[in-house]
Amino acid sequence: MALTRTARRGARGNRWGLGLLGLLLAAAGAAGAAAGAGLLGPEAAGARIGDAAAAAPPWAPYAAAAAAVAAALVALRWLLVQARPEAVRNVLLEPEEGRGRTEAAAGAVQGAVEEAAAGLPRVRRVRARLIDSARDPRLRLDLTLDEDADVAGVRSRIRDEALHDLRTALETDRVPAVVRMAMTPPRRDRRRVA
């Protein structure tokens, strides 16, 4: 499955962030190894950690605390970026020349797709989501069908009717869509026959 633009941007940020963190940790490890090997002078090689902390300038604990807070904020931002929804709130429509900007609420567009798909025979539940970007949205359509549904027929009608209507409403030739279909288990009658 191809990544959306939002997911690609997040993946690129992850690679850069993890690469920079790796370089920072490698540099700290190399400095520690160089100090232990005596490459930074005999004082650094023979010094104990407790002695080095006692000889530190008075502002060093504050600098360490500030660095820890900065690292925590960067980690928090990274977590928030991972959880960022990729859903679209509004869809931009192509306006006529010089007529301004036209937007449609994504909820209304999704509702229309859901209503069209829910009207098909043997469709139990429908959930539509517009994702990626307001200018070039993609559609995720989740369907739950009865176990005896004609899957090929439902797929064909989704493509020929619901997606065609969506492209017409958005005034575009192409709306990439992922349609996922699941079958429901058969209904069980729990009443006992005596």
Side-chain angles (χ1 to χ4, degrees):
M1 183 169 138
L3 290 173
T4 62
R5 270 180 287 223
T6 305
R8 282 193 301 268
R9 225 180 359 254
R12 184 174 32 250
N14 284 343
R15 283 192 301 272
W16 276 100
L18 291 173
L20 289 175
L21 178 63
L23 286 174
L24 179 68
L25 292 175
L39 298 176
L40 300 180
E43 301 86 26
R48 290 188 295 176
I49 293 176
D51 294 341
W59 52 264
Y62 300 110
V69 168
L73 290 175
V74 168
L76 180 62
R77 184 189 182 287
W78 178 78
L79 284 174
L80 291 174
V81 166
Q82 301 309 307
R84 179 179 35 203
E86 56 184 6
V88 175
R89 292 186 184 171
N90 293 316
V91 179
L92 295 176
L93 305 176
E94 290 297 324
E96 295 178 21
E97 191 72 29
R99 298 272 182 166
R101 178 175 161 156
T102 306
E103 291 183 0
V109 174
Q110 292 166 177
V113 172
E114 289 174 353
E115 186 177 322
L120 298 176
R122 304 290 189 199
V123 174
R124 279 213 184 156
R125 283 187 300 263
V126 180
R127 183 167 186 259
R129 269 184 32 160
L130 291 173
I131 60 168
D132 203 12
S133 74
R135 189 163 303 283
D136 297 314
R138 297 170 185 257
L139 176 71
R140 281 192 185 161
L141 185 62
D142 295 318
L143 302 172
T144 303
L145 309 175
D146 285 334
E147 68 169 358
D148 57 347
D150 176 20
V151 176
V154 169
R155 180 187 163 280
S156 176
R157 288 190 65 184
I158 290 290
R159 184 189 65 226
D160 296 340
E161 296 172 18
L163 295 179
H164 179 268
D165 292 345
L166 176 64
R167 287 190 302 271
T168 302
L170 296 180
E171 300 173 355
T172 185
D173 296 332
R174 183 174 173 269
V175 176
V178 174
V179 179
R180 293 184 284 200
M181 294 186 211
M183 307 299 275
T184 59
R187 291 184 181 171
R188 294 184 181 155
D189 190 2
R190 295 183 181 244
R191 290 179 287 163
R192 295 184 182 193
V193 179

